[in-house]
Amino acid sequence: MIGKLGKEVKALKKILIVEDDQLLNRTLAYNLTSDGYEVISVFNFDSAVRKLRENEFDVALLDINLPDGSGLDLCEEIRNRGQHTYIIFITANDKESDMLKGYEVGGADYVTKPFNPIELIARINALIRRYTKLGSSINESASKSETSNINIIQDGELIINDELKQVIVDDKEVKLTPTEYNILKFLTKNKGKVFSIEDIYTNVWDGECYAAENVIAVHIRHIREKIEINPKE
């Protein structure tokens, strides 16, 4: 049952749905609300922008092709605000090039219509567990004692504070997307080991992977651009 899936997610999480198909929008909103989430749903780009100015969301489900704009632009809006939101694109287009565009602007997952809403919700539940407190824990935990070194991962000038979900390079904080953070954390904790694309995906994502090699390459390129002085070298 849908409700049973949601019981594993203890804290109420906020989800934004931006989908112009009213039936799909309402179906997702109903199921997610029944599963214990706080849901705000809109049907167009302008309404989504207004909601983003008023709220910070744990998950955003963004239709790429909206009547008055693009879900890709909404993703950039979220990232430019520095919000730690897990973004899932919804689209009828399954072209690999379009999927990569979504990942390049900061999306973390991609579903192609038609899909089973219950399967999508199960995926969201798994991802919420993985990214619990990612958005709010930095501010909430800033005043905690510095004795929690067990949550610190360090490699030279790179410091990952897993309690705060914070990345520091050369004494400066680096803003990563949720997926970028988890890839960096996994690779840093396992420095010196060699992993296949499938190994990395299994440890960072849940569910079936599309275009895995390209997807992970895009994320790693973005990480290098953010944390390295000369990422092309």
Side-chain angles (χ1 to χ4, degrees):
M1 293 177 63
I2 299 174
K4 289 182 179 179
L5 292 173
K7 289 180 181 177
E8 299 177 8
V9 183
K10 302 299 182 183
L12 189 66
K13 300 296 181 182
K14 186 177 290 187
I15 296 181
L16 174 66
I17 301 173
V18 188
E19 168 58 62
D20 65 324
D21 182 325
Q22 295 194 18
L23 178 58
L24 176 58
N25 189 316
R26 289 174 177 144
T27 299
L28 290 172
Y30 174 80
N31 287 336
L32 286 165
T33 301
S34 299
D35 212 40
Y37 293 104
E38 179 183 352
V39 177
I40 294 177
S41 65
V42 296
F43 302 101
N44 57 60
F45 182 93
D46 286 341
S47 296
V49 171
R50 287 195 294 271
K51 294 301 181 183
L52 288 170
R53 290 171 181 168
E54 300 167 359
N55 303 273
E56 183 166 350
F57 297 91
D58 297 285
V59 177
L61 306 179
L62 307 181
D63 186 3
I64 287 183
N65 299 308
L66 296 166
D68 57 342
S70 168
L72 298 173
D73 293 332
L74 282 176
C75 179
E76 291 188 303
E77 174 83 14
I78 292 171
R79 293 294 173 240
N80 290 338
R81 291 177 178 276
Q83 296 179 357
H84 295 282
T85 301
Y86 190 92
I87 295 171
I88 299 176
F89 286 112
I90 300 173
T91 182
N93 194 339
D94 61 356
K95 289 183 179 179
E96 184 175 308
S97 59
D98 289 334
M99 293 183 186
L100 291 177
K101 288 179 184 177
Y103 292 118
E104 286 178 348
V105 297
D109 210 345
Y110 197 107
V111 293
T112 305
K113 302 174 186 177
F115 57 87
N116 186 330
I118 295 178
E119 293 179 0
L120 174 59
I121 292 167
R123 185 184 298 186
I124 291 171
N125 287 338
L127 296 170
I128 284 286
R129 288 193 297 270
R130 188 182 294 271
Y131 299 118
T132 296
K133 299 179 182 178
L134 184 60
S136 61
S137 62
I138 292 178
N139 292 330
E140 294 176 353
S141 304
S143 62
K144 289 187 177 182
S145 170
E146 297 180 358
T147 58
S148 56
N149 289 333
I150 191 171
N151 294 314
I152 301 295
I153 305 167
Q154 185 166 3
D155 180 15
E157 297 300 318
L158 169 67
I159 300 173
I160 300 174
N161 186 323
D162 198 38
E163 182 178 0
L164 304 182
K165 305 302 180 190
Q166 186 179 52
V167 176
I168 303 293
V169 179
D170 290 333
D171 297 323
K172 296 180 180 178
E173 183 175 357
V174 177
K175 297 293 186 181
L176 300 179
T177 69
T179 301
E180 290 168 356
Y181 175 85
N182 280 278
I183 292 174
L184 178 63
K185 174 186 169 184
F186 173 70
L187 294 177
T188 305
K189 285 180 67 176
N190 295 281
K191 183 181 179 181
K193 297 181 181 178
V194 178
F195 294 98
S196 66
I197 294 297
E198 291 74 17
D199 290 333
I200 297 173
Y201 184 82
T202 299
N203 282 276
V204 175
W205 281 270
D206 291 296
E208 186 178 358
C209 179
Y210 298 94
E213 185 171 351
N214 289 332
V215 168
I216 292 175
V218 168
H219 283 303
I220 290 179
R221 174 164 57 83
H222 287 174
I223 293 169
R224 294 190 64 192
E225 288 172 350
K226 292 178 180 181
I227 70 171
E228 296 183 5
I229 298 175
N230 296 305
K232 295 183 179 180
E233 290 185 358

